[in-house]
Amino acid sequence: MEVDSGAAYSIVNQQTWEKLNDSSVLSVLPNKLCTWNNSPVQVLGQTLVQVKYKNTKFALNIVVGRGVGSNLIGRNWFRQLGITLNINIIDLDMTGVDKVISKYLNVFKEGLGTYRGNPVDIQVKPNCYPRFLKARPVPYALKERIENEIDRLVEKGVLRPVSFSDWATPVVPIVKKNGDIRLCGDYRSTVNQATESDTYPMPTESEVFATIAGGCYYTTLDLERAYTQVVVSDSTSKFLTLNTCKGLYSVHRLAFGVKASPGIFQRLMTALLAGIKGVAILIDDIIISGYTLEEMTELKFYIALKNQVYDSIRINVSLQKNE
């Protein structure tokens, strides 16, 4: 049987039950069971069985399921069999976090930040011709919010209105969970066909886990509007131009939807935080591990100092303790 902490009941399939040749009478299970994706589990019933584990025996409840599903040891057997769980909890001690934030207020302030390094270039393939696509109609219910977002991005210096452009990509409004609008360009038919891919490798799950292994405390940092913090060159801003319901706008920050953006941003972040032990980076997410709370705080001080090449960084999950 497989130990499954997500299962409330221990369960065997009908085929296994028949092989056991147990003569116990099954009683009705009053509760309805379902899998992790809410699919119903069909059961024949439940009964008590004799369970032998090491040198001890127990009379424990078992559920018999129809068909040939998995045989699981659920949580109702854990106490008798001595099975324990390691649980990650949120630690409410924010002292270390508050120290870092108070010392580097300019890094953690609200609003759009700006990478202070050189503007980045996106390379265009040779012999590629500009493509100009018309703006797409937008739902009337979203029009005002889309126009407000365009005005906000113009105020922040992300967009600039232009009267003419050889390149134009239709804008795609994305409605986020909180109701805010994120403007993305549908660059599949324009820029992505004409530019080279940035093939900087992304870390795998195994590499991330190996990097942060051995920690007792974990902090995650999330850069707000990640790509938008990176300024692009004037030549790049021209072929990133968006065609919107309010006209043409050149794009002066790294844009969502451009296939080269993840590789460019990952390279910048990896170079920025290279050589710091216990720190893993996946695009705009920074995971910090420390064996002690003091070590964790020192790492956060160091990362905040390094991240002063940005104007803004936001904490999403402040501190977790692995008990």
Side-chain angles (χ1 to χ4, degrees), residues 129-291:
Y129 297 97
R131 295 206 63 187
F132 188 102
L133 301 182
K134 66 179 182 179
R136 294 177 182 172
V138 298
Y140 183 78
L142 296 179
K143 190 172 185 296
E144 183 178 358
R145 280 192 281 168
I146 292 171
E147 291 178 347
N148 290 339
E149 177 63 8
I150 292 173
D151 293 340
R152 189 189 69 83
L153 293 175
V154 170
E155 182 182 351
K156 296 292 184 181
V158 177
L159 302 179
R160 295 178 191 170
V162 293
S163 57
F164 171 80
S165 177
D166 292 324
W167 291 86
T169 298
V171 73
V172 179
I174 307 298
V175 182
K176 299 194 289 186
K177 291 182 179 180
N178 61 0
D180 291 343
I181 297 291
R182 170 174 286 175
L183 298 182
C184 300
D186 186 6
Y187 290 107
R188 293 173 298 179
S189 301
T190 55
V191 172
N192 287 349
Q193 292 186 6
T195 55
E196 302 287 353
S197 298
D198 194 304
T199 55
Y200 193 85
M202 298 292 171
T204 64
E205 287 185 3
S206 298
E207 290 172 334
V208 171
F209 289 141
T211 301
I212 63 175
C216 291
Y217 293 87
Y218 295 88
T219 296
T220 61
L221 304 176
D222 181 19
L223 270 74
E224 184 180 9
R225 296 179 179 266
Y227 300 163
T228 315
Q229 297 199 33
V230 179
V231 178
V232 300
S233 64
D234 290 339
S235 59
T236 297
S237 69
K238 292 177 181 178
F239 66 80
L240 293 180
T241 298
L242 294 175
N243 205 347
T244 77
C245 57
K246 292 189 69 177
L248 296 172
Y249 290 83
S250 59
V251 180
H252 296 265
R253 302 293 184 99
L254 198 59
F256 292 93
V258 177
K259 66 179 180 181
S261 294
I264 291 172
F265 200 86
Q266 182 70 30
R267 179 184 290 107
L268 290 177
M269 293 301 299
T270 301
L272 177 66
L273 302 179
I276 308 178
K277 184 180 178 181
V279 175
I281 307 110
L282 181 58
I283 306 183
D284 62 331
D285 291 311
I286 307 169
I287 307 173
I288 314 164
S289 66
Y291 187 74

Side-chain angles (χ1 to χ4, degrees), residues 11-15 41-45 63-70:
I11 186 169
V12 294
N13 59 52
Q14 186 176 358
Q15 187 179 67
V41 177
Q42 301 297 327
V43 300
L44 296 175
V63 174
V64 181
R66 293 184 185 274
V68 290
S70 301

Side-chain angles (χ1 to χ4, degrees), residues 26-76:
L26 299 178
S27 61
V28 175
L29 181 68
N31 299 328
K32 293 182 179 180
L33 304 186
C34 60
T35 64
W36 60 272
N37 62 357
N38 287 328
S39 299
V41 177
Q42 301 297 327
V43 300
L44 296 175
Q46 63 178 344
T47 188
L48 288 176
V49 291
Q50 294 297 317
V51 178
K52 182 179 180 182
Y53 178 68
K54 295 183 178 179
N55 297 321
T56 57
K57 291 184 180 180
F58 306 94
L60 301 176
N61 190 68
I62 190 78
V63 174
V64 181
R66 293 184 185 274
V68 290
S70 301
N71 298 319
L72 304 177
I73 294 178
R75 295 191 301 273
N76 64 324

